[in-house]
Amino acid sequence: MEENKKETTNFQNIYLANFIYFLHILVILFVIFAPFSNIPSILIIHIAFSFSLLVHWVANNNACSLTYFESQLRGINVEDSFTYKFISPVYDISKTDWSRICYIITIIVLMISIYKLYTSKTFAKSLKCYNDLSNDPKWIKSSFYQRFKMSVLCFIDLFKINPHD
């Protein structure tokens, strides 16, 4: 009975550790490929995610909670995990040239997303709606809640997967 419980726990730990590993891979792929989308909502998520990732790298003192969690689940030292070996150079910019390349790539794809969002028709339409709305005397006299609600409606298309629907 005790042996069966250990095997189940070990299987669950390996399953979760593999999930975290693939989550890291998905993050890398998203950061690299999302800017090549023309969907404003994907670009917004990419901008927020990339900015957060850069802040995380700078402010988190070379620690990734997912990597620590994965190593605990596998029962190995953090430094021995594949994810740590693959991702840790990114955390400390002074360690390797690879980390500098990762920062540069992340900043470049972030700028691509910002440019594509800023020059998109959907963003221009949303901004025009907001500018027209903010110049309307009825809007100016409205309560804060009403102004906020009407403003959000101008930008709602930016958060749709297919803004033309």
Side-chain angles (χ1 to χ4, degrees):
M1 176 101 174
E2 183 90 18
E3 187 85 18
N4 193 18
K5 189 176 180 181
K6 274 187 175 181
E7 285 180 23
T8 303
T9 304
N10 191 33
F11 175 75
Q12 290 171 341
N13 286 353
I14 296 301
Y15 179 76
L16 285 172
N18 288 339
F19 176 76
I20 292 169
Y21 169 77
F22 288 116
L23 184 62
H24 272 115
I25 299 299
L26 288 175
V27 165
I28 292 166
L29 292 174
F30 179 76
V31 169
I32 293 171
F33 293 112
F36 302 104
S37 166
N38 289 325
I39 302 170
S41 57
I42 299 293
L43 295 172
I44 290 169
I45 292 168
H46 183 263
I47 292 166
F49 188 83
S50 296
F51 182 72
S52 299
L53 187 62
L54 289 167
V55 170
H56 170 73
W57 287 343
V58 171
N60 206 22
N61 196 19
N62 303 338
C64 176
S65 56
L66 289 176
T67 302
Y68 283 112
F69 189 48
E70 178 190 1
S71 67
Q72 287 295 316
L73 291 169
R74 292 188 192 281
I76 59 176
N77 287 333
V78 174
E79 295 83 14
D80 294 332
S81 72
F82 176 77
T83 305
Y84 179 84
K85 290 176 184 175
F86 183 71
I87 295 178
S88 68
V90 174
Y91 295 132
D92 191 355
I93 200 159
S94 62
K95 276 188 180 177
T96 64
D97 288 336
W98 173 244
S99 59
R100 287 184 191 89
I101 291 169
C102 289
Y103 272 83
I104 291 168
I105 289 171
T106 304
I107 291 168
I108 288 171
V109 294
L110 172 63
M111 293 300 138
I112 291 169
S113 287
I114 291 170
Y115 175 78
K116 286 184 78 172
L117 179 65
Y118 185 73
T119 58
S120 73
K121 291 178 183 177
T122 308
F123 184 77
K125 179 182 164 192
S126 297
L127 204 55
K128 182 182 180 328
C129 172
Y130 179 77
N131 286 335
D132 292 346
L133 186 64
S134 63
N135 291 326
D136 184 353
K138 289 180 187 178
W139 185 79
I140 295 169
K141 293 178 183 178
S142 300
S143 69
F144 172 78
Y145 174 74
Q146 287 293 68
R147 288 193 312 260
F148 180 75
K149 185 177 169 182
M150 289 186 284
S151 299
V152 167
L153 291 175
C154 284
F155 292 95
I156 202 77
D157 283 347
L158 290 173
F159 298 98
K160 293 180 180 176
I161 296 297
N162 187 355
H164 303 293
D165 287 344

